[in-house]
Structure formats: structure tokens, C-alpha cells
Amino acid sequence: MTLALCRVIDLPKISDPRGNLTFIEGGRQIPFDIQRVYYLYDVPGGAERGGHAHKGLTQLIVAMSGSFDVVLDDGGRRQRFHLNRSYQGLLVCPMIWRELDNFSSGSVCMVLASNLYDEEDYYRNYDDFMHAVKQR
Ligand code: TYD
């Protein structure tokens, strides 16, 4: 997959003086059905997460609170995204290496995923990922 297919999706935002509301429906605002939700929180300053690619998984990454950066790499090009809005999500396609860093204090990173957790779906070694990219 190429980095060009990854993009920031603007999610619906129902503005209200009582507080804003955003919703995400599988297959509607995002191009996959949601099978799993996980979130990163209590991330210490300077920590890095990610450092892997997925063979078949599609994900949407949302900064629910605070901010952080996501670096995406398709084997040919790298791009850094700064996420800091709870009404935006970064769509990450399969076969994209990702690294997350620059977490602000108290930030929460929510990830919607198209499949259940499967360790077999991971490339955790960058050289293995690059080898697989070149095979395609
Ligand atoms: P990992 O995917 O490496 O985290 P990161 O978001 O930093 O890339 O997962 C960290 C650990 O948590 C690893 O042992 C696998 C486990 N894990 C699950 O059991 N279920 C999940 O849905 C996820 C995302 C991770």
C-alpha cells in the first residue's frame, strides 16, 4: 500500500454549548467495520510506541485528548502527522510502518481496528517489512 492512501479523516462534530459530540460508525465515516478498539494512555514523556506494520489490518488513530505524532512509512516515503483534534482520525492502511512519539502529558491515543488482535499480522522488524514491500 502507498502512503497516498493514508489520510486524515474529518469526523462529524456536533457542536453544542454543553460540550461537543463526535461519532464514528464502521463503514460510514471510516472505510472499514470496527472489530476492535484499544487505547494508549499514561504514556511517559519521551516514550515511543508503534514500531511495526500490519499485513492486513486497517486502523484509524484518534487523539482523544492531548496530542502526539504519527510517522508513517510505506517503504519509499515517510510522513509525519501531528494529531491533536478529537474530531479527526488518521487512516492507516495495511503494509504501512508506523511510529508514534511526541506524546503530550495526559494524552490518550484511541485506535479503531478492522480486525481482532493477531500477532501473526505484525511485521515487528523494519528489515522484514522492507523485504515484504519489495516482494510485492
Ligand atoms: P503493540 O501493538 O506492540 O503496541 P503499540 O501500540 O506500541 O504498537 O502491543 C503491545 C502489547 O499489547 C503486545 O504484547 C501485544 C498486546 N496487545 C494485545 O494483546 N491486544 C491488542 O489489541 C493490542 C493492540 C496489543
Side-chain angles (χ1 to χ4, degrees):
M1 288 274 185
T2 76
L3 202 46
L5 295 172
C6 301
R7 63 185 190 280
V8 173
I9 294 177
D10 284 318
L11 301 164
K13 180 182 176 189
I14 313 292
S15 298
D16 191 306
R18 299 170 301 160
N20 301 329
L21 183 152
T22 287
F23 56 90
I24 307 172
E25 297 164 298
R28 288 193 172 171
Q29 292 79 26
I30 58 172
F32 60 88
D33 286 328
I34 301 159
Q35 291 286 326
R36 176 165 53 110
V37 179
Y38 66 92
Y39 31 95
L40 301 170
Y41 53 98
D42 293 344
V43 179
E48 295 178 9
R49 302 289 314 213
H52 55 75
H54 286 282
K55 297 172 187 173
L57 193 72
T58 301
Q59 295 178 310
L60 187 84
I61 303 179
V62 182
M64 297 299 286
S65 183
S67 65
F68 51 84
D69 290 357
V70 185
V71 177
L72 300 183
D73 178 341
D74 64 6
R77 201 160 64 86
R78 283 173 89 88
Q79 189 173 350
R80 179 175 288 271
F81 296 85
H82 183 63
L83 298 184
N84 61 355
R85 300 280 181 247
S86 35
Y87 56 84
Q88 291 182 330
L90 176 62
L91 182 70
V92 184
C93 302
M95 293 303 292
I96 301 286
W97 187 267
R98 87 287 313 273
E99 292 161 7
L100 289 78
D101 61 16
N102 200 22
F103 285 89
S104 70
S105 168
S107 58
V108 178
C109 168
M110 181 183 73
V111 184
L112 308 184
S114 64
N115 270 307
L116 303 181
Y117 173 73
D118 176 11
E119 187 59 37
E120 292 298 307
D121 187 63
Y122 280 75
Y123 288 109
R124 289 198 181 271
N125 177 285
Y126 189 76
D127 291 341
D128 292 345
F129 164 68
M130 283 303 296
H131 184 72
V133 167
K134 287 177 187 151
Q135 297 285 331
R136 290 192 171 215

